[in-house]
Amino acid sequence: MPRTAIASLVLALAAAAPALAQEGNASTGEVVFKRCSACHAVGEGAKPRVGPPLNGVVDGKWAHYEGYAYSKVLMDGQAAGKVWDAATLSSFLENPRAVAPGTKMAFPGLKKPEERADVIAYLRTFLLDGTKAP
């Protein structure tokens, strides 16, 4: 294989590594989510606690749970059409107040990128109605 082809392959793999690492593991995410479960619930029959249920949050609109008293900044985000894509959700899980200044969420954040990716993978398994995604 010519050197230029090898160099291109190495660069392509290096560029893909962060994306692959951020896919996360839902089983591990379920364990990490236990830190979140004091305030949030998921699954069928999930009800608000200190925070809203997180069913359907991945790729869902900000302030998506009807009837929960969200922080103004999250309601403004919903009005602006913001969505919890994986990148935004990861940033929020790392430092909620940096993404949503004025949020009521007192959680200090998940500092490890792999933990955030795992939690997002776990949350992605729940549809808005709380059932498991196929």
Side-chain angles (χ1 to χ4, degrees), residues 23-71:
E23 285 187 20
N25 178 297
S27 296
T28 305
E30 182 175 10
V31 174
V32 177
F33 184 79
K34 289 180 181 177
R35 294 187 225 165
C36 311
S37 64
C39 298
H40 295 281
V42 290
E44 293 183 61
K47 301 278 187 240
R49 294 181 180 169
V50 172
L54 297 179
N55 294 330
V57 71
V58 180
D59 295 326
K61 294 179 183 179
W62 284 31
H64 72 288
Y65 185 80
E66 292 283 328
Y68 182 78
Y70 286 96
S71 306

